[in-house]
Amino acid sequence: MSSYDVAVIGSGPGGYVAAIRCAQLGMKTAIIEKYATLGGTCLNVGCIPSKALLDSSHHYEDAIKHFDTHGIEIPGEVKVNLEKMISRKQAVVDQTTGGIDFLMKKNKIDVFQGIGSFKDATNINITKEDGTVEAIQAKNTIIATGSKPSSLPFIKIDKERVITSTEALKLKEVPKHMIVIGGGVIGLELGQVYKRLGAEVTVVEYLDRIIPGMDGACSKELTKVLKKQKIKFALSHKVKSVERNGNEVVVKADNKKGEEVTFTGDYCLVAVGRHAYTDGLNLEAAGIKQEERGRVAVNEHLQTNVSNIYAIGDVIKGAMLAHKAEEEGTLVAEILAGQKPHIDYNLIPGVVYTWPEVAAVGKTEEQLKEAGVAYKVGQFPMRALGRARASMDIDGFVKIIADKNTDEVLGVHMVGARVADLISEAVVAMEFRASAEDIARMSHAHPTYAEAVKEAALAATEDRPIHI
Ligand code: FAD
Ligand code: NAI
């Protein structure tokens, strides 16, 4: 039987990064993945394919709506070839997952394809597709089995018309009317893809605002812009039934007043969150405890109640984000190597890849209010930037929240073009505990979107932005 210093179960961004870091640190490492391709949710049916479709649909929208303003005329009709768009997306996915195969080989990590399940705390069975079982031994195991889409108890996901994000990434036609349940990240990103491609899109959200975890100002701005793009919103609507009749899907919800509202479409995307995935792991055999919503319970070192077994990523508490899973993979590997790594969870940025993008790090204004922290806010609109006017991406703002007494930056919230990339400046600044004045006094290249960060910092420091 092969034996390893570390076995990683699951090859998503948490698992494959953990495996690479373990191997870099000299540990004999195995990775177990039940699917034929490595990369997990993120690379196969998450981050990468959704961004590929966002990019393709963005190009289409530019061609039909914005090229003309830029003085670019296209003779004849611009058409969507959905099949080609989806196959380009798949090519991007294949290239990216293939890259993980290469990285496993490069780092001499043994890859096992099959379902990993505990026999006990140091023995793992791997059940292959043909039913055969291979057993390995591992001194330490890292559980990185990720998450699956959640649904509502009364919804039957038929994967044809009533779908999750996984199916929405490979539709064969552009829906006429896509009803999206859930105004969170998936609902808005994929809703925008199909809106751009010509679908009518209605987002039915239980709460009174979209992207509820983010700063209220971002929710408001994104709602305003998406409404301009003709996405419809039914906020404060509690969905109570979803029924499919042939090619039609009927969603019924109660609005704030308790009145029943009916939405009829041809597709319903259910995007109400995701839950930890531990099916088939046989956690009981190793005596591993779970907490609420099926998550694997871990301490601050991401160690389970069984001392040689750790867990990372979507399968444990915290934000369900690829970069959070990656940091946790690195952390566990370094702990196993005897190092003392640390993650500042407050500084894990969150991004929504709609256009305009939304990006944030640190505390929201709502969180600071609730905690009773005295703060000040500096905000700068994108439309006041020369760069934004040149590209005509004028929606959005940068908002910097700083401590009222010390000027330390406590949170940065952005809506606008390329803010997914701009947020890194805020992360660096906050990692080094910068004050708003520190950012305000740094030179930012002109003309860039990044100038909005400097201006917002100037506004937060002394209420003296230059360009408004
Ligand atoms: P996963 O990526 O879920 O990987 C777990 C792996 O474990 C899977 O491959 C699974 O097959 C395997 N596995 C499970 N059980 C077993 C077993 N018993 N044996 C063997 N293998 C097993 N996050 C971002 O940060 N940015 C984004 O832009 C983004 N976009 C997203 C878009 C969509 C549509 C979705 C659905 C998610 C998106 N996410 C995004 C979230 C991101 O995909 C997850 O946070 C991330 O993949 C979590 O990584 P993980 O390693 O914990 O688990
Ligand atoms: P989410 O948690 O972002 O949003 C779910 C939304 O559904 C919330 O607004 C919630 O209020 C709403 N909701 C819940 N129950 C409802 C009901 N009964 N009726 C109507 N609305 C209801 O979850 P989502 O969008 O499914 O994404 C899952 C995870 O994937 C997220 O945690 C996110 O972190 C990750 N992800 C990250 C992306 C990124 O980083 N850009 C992109 C896509 C997903």
Side-chain angles (χ1 to χ4, degrees):
M1 186 195 305
S2 310
S3 65
Y4 293 90
D5 295 317
V6 184
V8 181
I9 310 181
S11 71
Y16 82 73
V17 169
I20 291 173
R21 192 73 189 111
C22 285
Q24 284 177 342
L25 290 165
M27 291 173 247
K28 190 181 174 202
T29 308
I31 192 161
I32 305 161
E33 170 56 54
K34 74 172 179 180
Y35 290 122
T37 54
L38 302 178
T41 304
C42 177
L43 273 61
N44 289 283
V45 289
C47 325
I48 301 301
S50 60
K51 267 80 259 178
L53 290 182
L54 276 158
D55 283 337
S56 295
S57 60
H58 199 163
H59 288 314
Y60 173 66
E61 187 178 60
D62 276 343
I64 57 167
K65 289 198 181 147
H66 304 138
F67 275 13
D68 190 48
T69 325
H70 287 270
I72 303 165
E73 288 170 10
I74 303 174
E77 201 189 340
V78 179
K79 281 200 240 161
V80 172
N81 180 337
L82 187 62
E83 194 183 339
K84 196 166 175 185
M85 200 179 274
I86 301 273
S87 72
R88 186 200 79 96
K89 171 221 76 175
Q90 196 52 44
V92 173
V93 168
D94 294 345
Q95 203 183 13
T96 313
T97 58
I100 307 298
D101 290 337
F102 164 78
L103 291 174
M104 295 301 107
K105 280 196 195 97
K106 181 185 162 202
N107 288 285
K108 302 192 172 48
I109 296 163
D110 287 347
V111 177
F112 293 88
Q113 197 205 326
I115 297 173
S117 66
F118 288 99
K119 202 167 157 215
D120 56 43
T122 48
N123 287 287
I124 299 167
N125 283 337
I126 301 155
T127 309
K128 317 215 164 163
E129 238 170 316
D130 63 9
T132 56
V133 178
E134 186 170 355
I136 62 166
Q137 218 165 38
K139 270 189 227 147
N140 297 287
T141 297
I142 303 173
I143 302 171
T145 49
S147 62
K148 289 278 174 205
S150 294
S151 183
L152 300 172
F154 49 83
I155 297 180
K156 183 180 176 310
I157 306 276
D158 65 19
K159 301 192 178 184
E160 288 173 5
R161 299 269 162 185
V162 183
I163 59 176
T164 69
S165 55
T166 305
E167 295 75 49
L169 292 167
K170 52 182 183 194
L171 290 185
K172 292 206 162 44
E173 60 179 359
V174 174
K176 290 185 191 65
H177 181 194
M178 176 180 260
I179 302 160
V180 178
I181 305 182
V185 210
I186 291 180
L188 299 180
E189 287 185 1
L190 293 177
Q192 192 176 47
V193 165
Y194 286 103
K195 177 69 210 166
R196 287 169 177 162
L197 298 182
E200 186 187 337
V201 173
T202 304
V203 176
V204 186
E205 165 61 47
Y206 177 69
L207 296 175
D208 61 0
R209 66 180 179 105
I210 57 168
I211 45 170
M214 298 189 94
D215 192 274
C218 293
S219 292
K220 218 164 146 187
E221 179 75 1
L222 188 64
T223 309
K224 193 179 87 192
V225 182
L226 295 181
K227 274 186 178 167
K228 264 199 296 187
Q229 295 171 7
K230 306 264 184 309
I231 292 182
K232 291 183 185 147
F233 291 96
L235 303 178
S236 303
H237 277 61
K238 185 172 188 247
V239 174
K240 55 183 189 184
S241 73
V242 175
E243 267 172 35
R244 177 181 171 182
N245 311 310
N247 289 344
E248 196 178 79
V249 183
V250 179
V251 175
K252 289 194 170 143
D254 285 338
N255 68 14
K256 215 164 34 181
K257 295 180 196 147
E259 298 155 347
E260 185 178 283
V261 184
T262 302
F263 305 90
T264 307
D266 51 349
Y267 285 86
C268 173
L269 168 62
V270 181
V272 294
R274 296 175 61 87
H275 61 272
Y277 182 73
T278 56
D279 291 7
L281 268 179
N282 202 18
L283 292 174
E284 315 75 52
I288 301 162
K289 287 200 180 122
Q290 285 168 272
E291 54 181 28
E292 74 263 35
R293 283 184 261 162
R295 294 186 300 221
V296 175
V298 289
N299 64 17
E300 72 274 22
H301 302 301
L302 309 186
Q303 188 178 32
T304 68
N305 60 305
V306 180
S307 64
N308 66 324
I309 300 175
Y310 293 75
I312 59 172
D314 281 10
V315 78
I316 63 166
K317 66 190 170 192
M320 289 184 163
L321 295 173
H323 43 288
K324 178 254 192 192
E326 291 187 27
E327 293 306 325
E328 291 180 338
T330 300
L331 179 124
V332 171
E334 293 180 352
I335 287 176
L336 291 174
Q339 300 181 5
K340 292 194 165 41
H342 169 75
I343 297 173
D344 185 346
Y345 284 96
N346 186 45
L347 296 187
I348 305 252
V351 173
V352 188
Y353 294 84
T354 48
W355 198 265
E357 294 171 335
V358 185
V361 64
K363 301 286 182 233
T364 64
E365 206 174 331
E366 292 80 3
Q367 286 169 330
L368 293 172
K369 235 177 231 159
E370 202 183 317
V373 176
Y375 64 87
K376 51 190 181 162
V377 175
Q379 194 164 318
F380 188 82
M382 289 295 186
R383 65 180 62 245
L385 293 176
R387 185 73 188 83
R389 283 196 303 276
S391 69
M392 302 183 85
D393 287 308
I394 52 171
D395 292 313
F397 56 78
V398 172
K399 168 176 173 176
I400 295 186
I401 313 178
D403 187 286
K404 191 162 191 174
N405 303 311
T406 66
D407 198 37
E408 180 175 354
V409 177
L410 302 175
V412 180
H413 308 278
M414 307 172 168
V415 179
R418 302 199 202 150
V419 297
D421 298 295
L422 283 194
I423 200 66
S424 291
E425 176 182 357
V427 178
V428 173
M430 289 177 70
E431 185 68 49
F432 286 93
R433 301 199 59 180
S435 63
E437 188 179 355
D438 289 330
I439 300 177
R441 290 193 179 278
M442 289 190 318
S443 174
H444 288 66
H446 173 76
T448 58
Y449 299 106
E451 286 174 287
V453 180
K454 180 185 172 91
E455 293 275 7
L458 278 165
T461 310
E462 288 178 40
D463 197 17
R464 59 172 187 90
I466 303 286
H467 291 93
I468 43 168

